[in-house]
Amino acid sequence: MRTGTIGRGLGLATALAALITGLSMTPASAGRAAPQPVPAAAAPAAFTHPGVLVSRPQLDFVRAKVQAGAQPWKGAYDQMMASKYASLSRTAKPRAVVECGSYSNPNYGCTDEREDAIAAYTLSLAWYITQDSRYAAKAIELMDAWSAVIKDHTNSNAPLQTGWAGSSWPRAAEIIKYTYSGWPNAGRFATMLRDVYLPKVINGSNSNGNWELSMTEAAIGISVFLEDRTSYDKAVGKFRGRVPAYIYLTSDGALPRTAPGSGLDTRDKIINYWQGQSMFMDGLSQETCRDLTHTGYGLSAISHIAETSRIQGQDLYPEIADRLRHALGLHAKYQLGAAVPSSLCGGSLKDSLGPVTEVGFNALHNRMGIAMTNTQTLTEQRRPAGTDNLFVAWETLTHAENPS
């Protein structure tokens, strides 16, 4: 299993004035777009539930399609129900301390936690679609097992691990709490999210961008479940600072933008952070030249955060649509087999994006009407999208052509 590794040599965050001065003194930064004003974050006056990645109207759409035997939803549902995550005989494996080193070495509870969280989400979807209370009860059993035990995440990958598991837990909890009657320990689960997960993810990360994006996804979802407007606003602020620093557009200038507090105050530091790539093009991600798998993590988290914000009435898609459509299109093109030019990552791209295009494609193409030929081809070719066993699961089922 791959994970992000903590970026080296990024230095401490400099004051804003020093950052601007440092960049202006770098000749190669000529043509860089001036910093754009960041809109004020605004959590909803009233949170929508269920409202983390999927809403009740979206769930109703999926349920109707599955009941009608319509494709691709019925095939995606069958795939989900045949997976280990839908098993009613699953036994939770909670730990008081989950310890995850780089590349999950050591792996003391890391896989167990992530997979129990995905299972809780899977079972909550199964509950809603079938209305069979056994699935809700099993989801509750898994969530209760962890909320009764876990106290901390440790070692170098703790923030990322917390982000991944913390992205799946609120999806499950939202569905169960707001569509099923009878979860006595829901308050204890909320305490777990507030005390164990949120502090690890809310302040973001200056590691590779997929870290902060996954952590921010967890923070957004947890904030919705807790109805925590302050944390929601802080997470949205992180998102607005990170997305322009993760996906490049030519309008950014000669060099990519940098996230607030990154310490990337010279051309050399920026290029090193972008995996040595010095030629930039629309849709390039900070991790493209690392590998497509980590890039997929970042693009998926961006889509998930925007989807949750839209459900909550604060639609972030318009702000990031141009970046996301270019990023999905660029990477889909090469995933489909187009020759990689020597100017891009030395002419070679590694690994695969994974099952990460459905949510963004549905939002941008089906809802917003943006033409996305390469992304559409890749998305439809790979249906039904399954799970990456980390934090992405069953998105053909939940988001394919979902108008809600």
Side-chain angles (χ1 to χ4, degrees), residues 300-351:
S300 182
I302 289 170
S303 301
H304 294 167
I305 294 164
E307 191 73 3
T308 294
S309 78
R310 187 190 64 85
I311 293 168
Q312 295 305 324
Q314 181 200 29
D315 194 349
L316 296 174
Y317 276 119
E319 296 179 26
I320 55 99
D322 206 31
R323 293 183 191 274
L324 184 58
R325 76 176 181 92
H326 277 298
L328 289 172
L330 177 74
H331 296 89
K333 173 182 176 180
Y334 295 115
Q335 193 75 86
L336 289 166
V340 182
S342 60
S343 59
L344 176 59
C345 309
S348 176
L349 295 174
K350 296 187 294 184
D351 299 338

Side-chain angles (χ1 to χ4, degrees), residues 35 145 158 186 195 208 211 227 270 275 279 294 306 368 378-379:
D195 294 349
N208 284 299
W211 276 54
E227 297 196 329
I270 292 170
Q275 321 298 325
M279 180 175 289
H294 285 90
M368 298 177 70
L378 182 65
T379 301

Side-chain angles (χ1 to χ4, degrees), residues 223-234:
S223 297
V224 170
F225 186 72
L226 298 179
E227 297 196 329
D228 184 335
R229 301 183 80 251
T230 299
S231 293
Y232 182 96
D233 282 350
K234 185 170 183 177

Side-chain angles (χ1 to χ4, degrees), residues 375-391:
T375 306
Q376 181 169 1
T377 299
L378 182 65
T379 301
E380 293 176 352
Q381 184 183 99
R382 298 198 165 184
R383 284 177 175 167
T387 176
D388 66 358
N389 303 307
L390 300 173
F391 73 110

Side-chain angles (χ1 to χ4, degrees), residues 13-363:
T14 58
L16 179 59
L19 177 59
I20 295 172
T21 301
L23 285 172
S24 66
M25 292 173 65
T26 306
S29 68
R32 173 193 288 275
Q36 299 297 306
V38 177
F47 286 93
T48 297
H49 303 290
V52 176
L53 188 59
V54 289
S55 64
R56 188 184 293 267
Q58 288 175 313
L59 291 167
D60 287 338
F61 172 85
V62 172
R63 186 179 182 217
K65 290 295 186 182
V66 171
Q67 289 180 331
Q71 298 297 353
W73 304 276
K74 181 59 165 61
Y77 168 78
D78 290 343
Q79 174 198 45
M80 180 184 80
M81 296 303 287
S83 76
K84 63 183 179 180
Y85 297 113
S87 172
L88 288 170
S89 61
R90 186 179 190 88
T91 300
K93 298 178 180 178
R95 281 177 177 259
V97 177
V98 174
E99 182 180 355
C100 307
S102 180
Y103 289 82
S104 287
N105 183 20
N107 181 341
Y108 298 136
C110 316
T111 301
D112 291 338
E113 180 189 29
R114 292 193 306 269
E115 293 194 349
D116 278 348
I118 290 174
Y121 175 53
T122 302
L123 291 157
S124 72
L125 290 173
W127 142 250
Y128 197 89
I129 293 168
T130 66
Q131 295 294 290
D132 183 337
S133 62
R134 293 178 301 165
Y135 293 108
K138 178 57 72 169
I140 289 170
E141 179 185 312
L142 297 179
M143 292 188 285
D144 283 355
W146 279 91
S147 69
V149 172
I150 190 167
K151 300 298 181 186
D152 199 9
H153 298 86
T154 64
N155 214 320
S156 60
N157 263 31
L160 183 61
Q161 171 73 18
T162 310
W164 281 341
S167 293
S168 296
W169 287 129
R171 299 176 202 162
E174 280 280 299
I175 294 172
I176 296 299
K177 182 176 180 180
Y178 292 99
T179 73
Y180 180 77
S181 59
W183 184 13
N185 292 316
R188 188 179 74 196
F189 188 83
T191 299
M192 175 192 81
L193 294 180
R194 179 180 293 106
D195 294 349
V196 179
Y197 288 81
L198 190 58
K200 278 283 197 299
V201 297
I202 191 62
N203 292 316
S205 167
N206 285 326
S207 183
N208 284 299
N210 81 88
W211 276 54
E212 183 158 272
L213 289 164
S214 291
M215 293 163 67
T216 300
E217 179 184 349
I220 288 277
I222 290 168
S223 297
V224 170
F225 186 72
L226 298 179
E227 297 196 329
D228 184 335
R229 301 183 80 251
T230 299
S231 293
Y232 182 96
D233 282 350
K234 185 170 183 177
V236 169
K238 289 289 181 185
F239 178 78
R240 284 171 160 158
R242 175 57 63 177
V243 175
Y246 193 70
I247 301 171
Y248 175 82
L249 290 178
T250 54
S251 58
D252 293 336
L255 290 172
R257 295 189 190 182
T258 57
S262 68
L264 299 174
D265 53 3
T266 69
R267 179 180 185 276
D268 286 347
K269 286 182 181 180
I270 292 170
I271 289 175
N272 182 63
Y273 187 58
W274 281 67
Q275 321 298 325
Q277 179 74 4
S278 58
M279 180 175 289
F280 304 99
M281 61 211 70
D282 283 332
L284 185 75
S285 103
Q286 180 257 319
E287 296 184 274
T288 302
C289 295
R290 182 185 186 190
D291 59 65
L292 294 181
T293 301
H294 285 90
T295 299
Y297 299 163
L299 298 184
S300 182
I302 289 170
S303 301
H304 294 167
I305 294 164
E307 191 73 3
T308 294
S309 78
R310 187 190 64 85
I311 293 168
Q312 295 305 324
Q314 181 200 29
D315 194 349
L316 296 174
Y317 276 119
E319 296 179 26
I320 55 99
D322 206 31
R323 293 183 191 274
L324 184 58
R325 76 176 181 92
H326 277 298
L328 289 172
L330 177 74
H331 296 89
K333 173 182 176 180
Y334 295 115
Q335 193 75 86
L336 289 166
V340 182
S342 60
S343 59
L344 176 59
C345 309
S348 176
L349 295 174
K350 296 187 294 184
D351 299 338
S352 171
L353 278 178
V356 303
T357 61
E358 287 279 14
V359 176
F361 173 69
N362 184 57

